């Protein structure tokens, strides 16, 4: 087990160096050179100081000319040490930022390429949170800690060399006294890491509450219901839990830290006392005694710095393993990604015995769904909330993998096809559509980033989706920035945001269109206009239309009625009304409420 831990630690240190080297090898080399200069300068100062003291103590008077070379050399060493330390301090800032950028890129690679299904479980979010925290600075902490350890060891070797010529017996006492501190640091770091790991989900929940209390989107509801106090109390309770765990940890750490400090201080007192006793008995000269005292203080300071650096390295390695584990998922994600080329464009979409169960769920969200849809046909999927409509649209849209069954294009199972090529031929509008706080132009252009400069296509999609009113109402037109959280930004209504989502789908010009409640935020007239538009624009496409509003599905070529994950009815509006089943009952329920006619 110990050998495995050592191997893992070496591998993690190698990873840290690789990350820092890739982020800024030139800067890292400069930092290493500066630390070596600092180390050599400090050792040189001791040697020059010892020579000066011996020169001063050995005669009744010393000519200025004799002192000048030593003073110049001492001044040069002090200046070199100061400048190299300043350079090291300043160069670490941009290098740390570069490393953080590179490591966060690795985290984002995994987060954006992992299958959507992973986002359905809390374990992935815990791992993501720990990886983000580690990527924030632990790789830099490991490397800079090792650099500090190397530089202090160079100084320590020089100081020890001087001390051996003065009082060799002092050296082992001073060095051995720091082993208890190293032991204490390792134990304390492990305990700290375990606490942070245990509280990962609590940390995510606390951050969520902070978002609720500070975000513009939730500010009005927080105030309208006067719930800020409740959220603040919950936020405070989470802090209390963390602080309680931290107090327990500190109590345990304090015992070990006190032990280490007592041993270290006692050893320092013993070595200094012994050096003074030797000087008092004329066993060593005044210069030797002074160098011994200063050298012991330097050695103590450097070993203490080494201890701190070791703590940072050990802690960094412990946390960096989370990043390394998360980062290592990327090759696996890419390896299991299918590579077959799907039919382009597909003419027939076939769903065969399709089922899906969310991770950790006890029951299927969708069970044994089958149908066929050809180009030019519109299929409506209806049912009560929770009937499985949205889940079905995600599985058909290649966002969730089927638990059983398959989705085929022209007889080809899309599960074996490159998901990027599959999704490139689908234009979705989600019920919980994204609100991209960009310009109107960019928000629409995201529908097809390969045509991001297609001005005519962007404007046409904006007009077709009814976004032109929003464009005309702002002086910047289609280049209006959305979202008042940014300078010059403007507000958009929920209906306008939904129209932007529809415009993105229209701009994509894909052969398959999947619309999940695309009219939920539109008024009845706008809803009717949208459905007419879809029939007009999608005459040669395969269209799936998820809705709970029956007024918009009457002209669909086929209607699928879902209930608790099952398809309970399928057919045209007329046929389903004649059958007198669930669709008939739900339609009449809405007809009575809204004055619809069958």
């Amino acid at each position: 087990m110990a050998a495995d831990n050592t191997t893992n630690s070496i591998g993690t240190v190698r990873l840290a160096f690789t990350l820092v080297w890739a982020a800024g090898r030139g800067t890292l080399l400069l930092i290493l050179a500066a630390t070596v200069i600092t180390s050599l300068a400090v050792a040189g100062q001791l040697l020059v100081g010892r020579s000066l003291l011996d020169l001063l103590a050995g005669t009744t008077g010393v000519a200025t000319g004799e002192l000048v070379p030593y003073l110049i050399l001492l001044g040069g060493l002090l200046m070199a040490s100061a400048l190299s330390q300043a350079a090291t301090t300043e160069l670490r800032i941009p290098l740390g930022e570069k490393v953080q950028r590179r490591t966060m890129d690795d985290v984002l690679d995994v987060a954006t390429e992992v299958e959507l299904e992973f986002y359905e479980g809390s374990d992935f979010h815990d791992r993501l949170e720990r990886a983000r925290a580690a990527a924030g600075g632990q790789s830099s902490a490991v490397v800079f800690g090792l650099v500090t350890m190397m530089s202090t060891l160079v100084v320590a070797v020089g100081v020890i060399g001087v001390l051996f010529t003065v009082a060799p017996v002092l050296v082992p006492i001073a060095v051995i006294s720091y082993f208890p501190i190293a032991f204490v640091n390792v134990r304390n770091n492990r305990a700290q890491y375990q606490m942070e790991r245990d509280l990962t989900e609590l940390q995510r929940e606390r951050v969520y509450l902070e978002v609720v209390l500070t975000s513009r989107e939730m500010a009005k509801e927080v105030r309208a219901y006067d719930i800020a106090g409740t959220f603040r109390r919950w936020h405070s309770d989470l802090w209390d839990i963390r602080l309680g765990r931290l107090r327990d940890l500190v109590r345990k750490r304090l015992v070990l830290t006190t032990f280490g400090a007592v041993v270290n201080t006692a050893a320092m007192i013993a070595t200094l006392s012994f050096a003074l006793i030797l000087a008092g008995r004329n066993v060593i000269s005044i210069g030797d005694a002074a160098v011994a005292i200063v050298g012991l203080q330097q050695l103590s300071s450097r070993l203490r710095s080494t201890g701190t650096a070791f703590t940072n390295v050990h802690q960094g390695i412990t946390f960096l393993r989370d990043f390394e584990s998360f980062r290592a998922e990327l090759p696996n994600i890419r390896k299991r990604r299918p590579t077959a080329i799907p039919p382009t464009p597909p003419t027939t979409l076939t769903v065969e015995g399709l089922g899906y169960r969310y991770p950790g769920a006890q029951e299927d969200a969708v069970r044994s769904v089958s149908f066929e849809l050809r180009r030019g046909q519109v299929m409506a999927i209806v049912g009560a909330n929770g009937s499985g409509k949205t889940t079905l649209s995600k599985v058909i849209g290649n966002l969730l993998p089927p638990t059983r069954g398959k989705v085929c294009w022209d007889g080809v199972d899309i599960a074996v096809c490159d998901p990027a090529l599959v999704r490139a031929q689908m234009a979705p509008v989600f019920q919980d559509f994204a609100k991209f706080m960009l310009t109107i132009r960019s928000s629409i252009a995201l529908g097809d980033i390969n045509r991001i400069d297609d001005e005519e296509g962007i404007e046409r999609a904006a007009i077709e989706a009814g976004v032109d009113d929003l464009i005309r109402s702002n002086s910047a037109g289609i280049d209006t920035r959305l979202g008042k959280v940014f300078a010059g930004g403007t507000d958009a209504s929920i209906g306008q945001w939904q129209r932007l989502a529809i415009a993105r789908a229209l701009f994509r010009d894909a052969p398959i269109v999947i619309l999940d409640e695309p009219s939920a935020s539109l008024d009845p007239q706008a809803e009717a206009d949208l459905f007419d538009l879809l029939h007009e624009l999608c005459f040669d496409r395969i269209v799936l239309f998820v809705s709970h509003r029956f007024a918009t599905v009457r002209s669909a070529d086929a209607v699928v009625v879902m209930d608790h994950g099952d398809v309970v009815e399928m057919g045209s509006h007329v046929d389903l009304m004649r059958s007198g089943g669930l669709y008939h009952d739900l339609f009449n329920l809405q007809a009575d409420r809204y004055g619809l006619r069958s």
Side-chain angles (χ1 to χ4, degrees):
M1 183 65 71
D4 290 341
N5 289 337
T6 301
T7 302
N8 291 337
S9 297
I10 293 173
T12 308
V13 170
R14 188 184 302 115
L15 168 66
F17 263 112
T18 300
L19 291 171
V20 177
W21 181 260
R25 65 187 65 183
T27 307
L28 179 59
L29 290 173
L30 287 173
I31 291 174
L32 289 171
T35 54
V36 170
I37 291 172
T38 301
S39 303
L40 295 175
V42 171
Q45 291 166 30
L46 278 177
L47 295 173
V48 174
R50 179 189 183 190
S51 299
L52 269 173
L53 287 172
D54 285 339
L55 180 65
L56 293 171
T59 61
T60 55
V62 180
T64 303
E66 293 182 74
L67 295 175
V68 169
Y70 292 99
L71 295 175
I72 292 175
L73 182 56
L74 184 60
L77 291 170
L78 289 170
M79 184 63 71
S81 177
L83 293 177
S84 59
Q85 285 181 358
T88 300
T89 301
E90 296 305 318
L91 289 172
R92 286 173 60 155
I93 296 173
L95 182 57
E97 292 288 330
K98 290 178 182 178
V99 172
Q100 184 173 348
R101 174 185 176 180
R102 186 175 183 85
T103 51
M104 190 55 66
D105 282 344
D106 288 341
V107 172
L108 294 177
D109 281 343
V110 177
T112 54
E113 292 192 38
V114 71
E115 294 86 348
L116 183 65
E117 192 173 36
F118 278 77
Y119 279 87
E120 301 294 337
S122 63
D123 179 66
F124 173 77
H125 291 280
D126 286 343
R127 293 187 62 202
L128 175 59
E129 178 65 26
R130 289 194 293 268
R132 289 176 60 186
Q138 297 300 342
S139 54
S140 297
V142 171
V143 173
F144 293 147
L146 289 171
V147 168
T148 300
M149 288 174 66
M150 287 188 296
S151 65
T152 53
L153 286 174
V154 171
V155 175
V157 169
V159 171
I160 289 171
V162 174
L163 289 177
F164 262 120
T165 64
V166 175
V169 72
L170 302 178
V171 176
I173 302 175
V175 173
I176 292 173
S177 66
Y178 283 89
F179 282 101
I181 291 182
F183 169 77
V184 167
N185 288 336
V186 170
R187 292 290 299 271
N188 285 345
N189 288 338
R190 287 176 180 170
Q192 176 82 29
Y193 170 76
Q194 190 59 50
M195 187 197 79
E196 296 293 349
R197 186 180 182 87
D198 293 343
L199 297 180
T200 300
E201 186 165 352
L202 181 144
Q203 164 72 6
R204 288 196 294 110
E205 186 174 356
R206 196 178 77 238
V207 170
Y208 169 72
L209 293 177
E210 290 169 2
V211 171
V212 170
L213 290 167
T214 58
S215 71
R216 181 172 180 267
E217 290 77 8
M218 299 185 187
K220 55 183 178 295
E221 195 144 347
V222 168
R223 284 155 179 76
Y225 286 95
D226 193 23
I227 55 178
T230 300
F231 276 89
R232 289 289 300 275
R233 187 173 66 254
W234 292 344
H235 182 262
S236 180
D237 290 344
L238 293 175
W239 264 116
D240 288 342
I241 294 172
R242 178 177 177 81
L243 292 174
R245 285 288 301 272
L246 190 60
R247 281 193 296 270
D248 293 340
L249 176 66
V250 168
R251 278 195 292 268
K252 295 175 182 178
R253 286 173 55 125
L254 187 58
V255 174
L256 290 173
T257 303
T258 301
F259 166 75
V262 168
V263 172
N264 177 254
T265 304
M268 184 65 184
I269 293 171
T271 50
L272 288 175
S273 300
F274 193 60
L276 291 173
I277 290 171
L278 291 176
R281 294 180 177 179
N282 293 321
V283 176
I284 58 176
S285 67
I286 295 177
D288 287 342
V291 168
I293 293 172
V294 174
L296 286 169
Q297 290 176 333
Q298 283 282 358
L299 184 61
S300 175
S301 173
R302 297 297 165 172
L303 289 175
R304 197 176 294 276
S305 296
T306 301
T308 302
F310 176 79
T311 299
N312 292 336
V313 169
H314 186 270
Q315 180 173 300
I317 287 174
T318 306
F319 282 91
L320 199 57
R321 285 176 186 151
D322 286 323
F323 165 76
E324 185 179 12
S325 171
F326 189 80
R327 177 177 180 255
E329 285 293 325
L330 189 59
N332 297 328
I333 294 170
R334 291 176 176 172
K335 184 178 180 180
R336 63 176 176 259
R337 182 181 298 151
T339 57
I341 299 176
T344 307
T347 58
T348 304
L349 185 153
T350 306
V351 174
E352 301 178 6
L354 199 66
Y356 183 76
R357 177 178 296 187
Y358 285 99
Q362 299 300 313
E363 297 181 357
D364 290 347
V366 173
R367 289 187 289 271
S368 193
V369 175
S370 299
F371 61 79
E372 183 175 283
L373 195 60
R374 296 183 177 276
R375 183 189 299 175
Q377 292 183 319
V378 176
M379 174 175 281
I381 304 174
V382 300
N385 290 335
S387 60
K389 305 187 303 295
T390 294
T391 300
L392 177 60
S393 70
K394 288 180 180 178
V395 177
I396 294 174
N398 198 230
L399 294 174
L400 296 175
T403 304
R404 65 186 63 82
K406 57 185 177 179
V407 178
C408 296
W409 291 358
D410 298 345
V412 177
D413 186 353
I414 63 172
V416 303
C417 299
D418 186 331
L421 297 179
V422 171
R423 292 166 192 164
Q425 298 191 74
M426 292 189 286
V429 177
F430 301 108
Q431 183 176 4
D432 50 347
F433 50 85
K435 299 177 183 178
F436 296 109
M437 293 188 183
L438 308 169
T439 64
I440 296 175
R441 181 193 307 278
S442 296
S443 183
I444 296 173
L446 291 177
D448 188 353
I449 56 174
N450 295 318
R451 296 166 48 222
I452 200 166
D453 296 322
D454 183 0
E455 303 284 344
E456 183 180 344
I458 293 171
E459 292 177 3
R460 182 170 59 251
I463 293 171
E464 290 170 347
V467 184
D468 46 327
D469 289 342
L470 177 62
I471 294 173
R472 287 195 300 269
S473 64
N474 289 278
S475 59
I478 199 168
D479 292 310
T480 298
R481 180 67 183 264
L482 299 168
K484 282 200 169 183
V485 294
F486 296 105
T490 188
D491 266 333
S493 68
I494 187 65
Q496 289 171 327
W497 280 115
Q498 189 158 40
R499 288 181 183 278
L500 283 166
I502 294 169
R504 273 195 298 278
L506 295 176
F507 179 63
R508 186 158 221 178
D509 196 22
I512 298 178
V513 180
I514 300 176
L515 306 164
D516 183 9
E517 301 283 5
S519 58
S521 300
L522 304 181
D523 57 68
Q525 184 59 53
E527 179 184 37
D529 292 343
L530 170 64
F531 202 74
D532 291 341
L533 174 66
L534 291 173
H535 271 281
E536 178 185 341
L537 296 177
C538 302
F539 68 93
D540 63 342
R541 307 183 193 185
I542 298 171
V543 180
L544 284 168
F545 192 94
V546 177
S547 181
H548 67 276
R549 294 183 180 179
F550 291 83
T552 59
V553 304
R554 285 178 294 183
S555 58
D557 297 290
V559 179
V560 171
V561 185
M562 297 194 68
D563 185 37
H564 294 92
D566 289 313
V567 173
V568 294
E569 293 179 287
M570 186 185 304
S572 68
H573 168 75
V574 174
D575 291 340
L576 293 175
M577 289 301 293
R578 286 174 180 168
S579 69
L582 178 61
Y583 180 86
H584 172 273
D585 295 340
L586 292 174
F587 185 92
N588 284 334
L589 181 65
Q590 288 194 6
D592 293 340
R593 183 174 299 174
Y594 300 114
L596 302 177
R597 291 181 297 176
S598 61

